[in-house]
């Protein structure tokens, strides 16, 4: 059966997360229902990562097996037609090898987290950022973030319900920047690693927000990491500011000539 890679963009607000749910809407369920409109099912797609309820996707990647050898552009167009009006879009499609896997072939995942710094409520960005009504010291936050980069036991920043076999991961990058946007200043976190623990990025951000607010010193982040104790973590940032921003593969399936 032909296998296709799909690059997926979505607003996670209306969904209970990526993973198919028996009684709640999910992004996976919406795409599988759209596939069933093209070919008889059941369909089961696999994704590079399972985002939680309220978390968004800028460039999630999934794969599916179909009976027909679709032209990638026509496949993405047909799926987008059947996905309406859900806030889910197939922004790229590509034919891949039968043993290619959206999760296991990936070598890096990239996340973005957005904090809007203003006292007024978010209107146009409602549900898309974490609004914090105070200034944050971005330099101090970066100094705190630097303690997290590298190969560590991240038990402190791991959800108690995380199912990963080990808390030991390698964090390749955690960059904090201040951006002046139309809506006001934003603090953005750019995070890269091969794989992540459950709630790891949101735990990082919630902890670093405490540093930016002056409640923690940058070196306190290193102390919390070394504790290997979930109780040492700062608050977990809310899901609406988090985006799966990209997935990297040894050979990009969405290269030149593919549907985008």
């Amino acid at each position: 059966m032909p296998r296709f890679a799909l690059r997926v963009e979505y607003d996670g607000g209306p969904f209970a997360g990526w993973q198919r749910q028996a009684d709640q809407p999910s992004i996976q369920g919406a795409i599988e229902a759209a596939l069933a409109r093209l070919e008889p099912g059941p369909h089961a797609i696999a994704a590079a990562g399972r985002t939680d309820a309220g978390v968004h996707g800028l460039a999630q990647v999934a794969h599916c097996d179909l009976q027909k050898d679709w032209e990638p552009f026509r496949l993405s167009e047909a799926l987008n037609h059947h996905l309406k009006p859900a806030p889910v879009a197939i922004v790229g499609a590509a034919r891949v090898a039968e043993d290619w896997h959206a999760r296991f072939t990936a070598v890096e995942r990239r996340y973005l987290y957005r904090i809007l710094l203003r006292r007024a409520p978010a209107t146009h960005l409602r549900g898309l950022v974490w609004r914090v009504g105070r200034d944050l010291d971005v330099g101090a936050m970066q100094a705190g973030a630097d303690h997290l980069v590298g190969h560590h036991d991240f038990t402190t920043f791991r959800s108690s319900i995380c199912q990963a076999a080990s808390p030991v991961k390698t964090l390749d990058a955690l960059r904090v920047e201040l951006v002046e946007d139309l809506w006001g200043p934003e603090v953005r976190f750019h995070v890269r690693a091969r794989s992540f623990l459950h709630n790891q990025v949101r735990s990082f951000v919630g902890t670093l927000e405490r540093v930016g607010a002056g409640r923690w010193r940058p070196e306190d982040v290193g102390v919390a990491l070394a504790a290997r104790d979930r109780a040492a973590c700062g608050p977990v940032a809310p899901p609406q500011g988090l985006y799966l921003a990209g997935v990297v593969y040894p050979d990009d399936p969405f290269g030149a000539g593919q549907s985008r």
Side-chain angles (χ1 to χ4, degrees):
M1 297 176 70
R3 177 163 289 188
F4 295 89
L6 306 174
R7 180 182 284 149
V8 189
E9 180 181 285
Y10 52 88
D11 176 352
F15 299 101
W18 168 271
Q19 191 171 3
R20 185 192 313 111
Q21 307 279 332
D23 56 354
Q24 298 184 78
S26 68
I27 300 100
Q28 180 183 9
I31 297 172
E32 289 175 350
L35 286 167
R37 301 288 297 274
L38 304 183
E39 293 185 359
H43 294 276
I45 63 175
R50 296 176 177 178
T51 52
D52 289 338
V55 176
H56 312 294
L58 294 178
Q60 169 74 282
V61 177
H63 76 257
C64 62
D65 296 322
L66 297 173
Q67 297 174 9
K68 178 181 173 181
D69 195 0
W70 287 79
E71 194 279 320
F73 176 76
R74 291 187 179 277
L75 175 59
S76 62
E77 289 287 284
L79 286 173
N80 285 330
H81 173 75
H82 292 299
L83 281 165
K84 298 175 182 177
V88 181
I90 308 301
V91 296
R95 184 77 152 78
V96 292
E98 292 182 4
D99 62 349
W100 190 93
H101 198 284
R103 177 183 176 191
F104 298 119
T105 307
V107 296
E108 184 179 84
R109 286 143 179 95
R110 298 176 177 178
Y111 281 90
L112 165 70
Y113 197 97
R114 301 169 64 189
I115 297 179
L116 177 65
L117 302 181
R118 76 180 205 187
R119 292 187 61 83
T123 53
H124 294 287
L125 295 182
R126 185 174 57 182
L128 301 176
V129 294
W130 176 19
R131 182 186 63 82
V132 171
R134 67 178 74 86
D135 290 336
L136 297 176
D137 184 337
V138 173
M141 296 167 84
Q142 184 64 68
D146 291 343
H147 290 278
L148 301 170
V149 176
H151 188 70
H152 303 291
D153 181 328
F154 285 105
T155 296
T156 298
F157 301 95
R158 177 190 195 188
S159 167
S160 60
I161 62 171
C162 180
Q163 297 179 353
S166 170
V168 177
K169 296 286 182 183
T170 299
L171 183 68
D172 295 322
L174 204 176
R175 180 169 59 89
V176 189
E177 66 172 344
L178 181 65
V179 177
E180 291 292 339
D181 211 336
L182 290 173
W183 329 108
E186 277 190 30
V187 177
R188 295 182 183 174
F189 301 79
H190 303 272
V191 194
R192 297 191 291 109
R194 185 182 185 95
S195 61
F196 289 88
L197 301 166
H198 189 211
N199 277 173
Q200 187 177 4
V201 175
R202 289 168 55 199
S203 296
F204 287 164
V205 172
T207 298
L208 292 172
E209 189 274 341
R210 297 288 78 195
V211 175
R215 306 287 181 84
W216 286 38
R217 301 168 302 167
E219 54 267 33
D220 291 337
V221 178
V223 173
L225 174 67
R228 301 179 185 179
D229 181 356
R230 183 63 177 170
C233 184
V236 178
Q240 67 266 21
L242 182 60
Y243 298 75
L244 177 53
V247 186
V248 178
Y249 296 93
D251 295 302
D252 181 8
F254 307 102
Q258 300 290 359
S259 169
R260 288 185 180 273

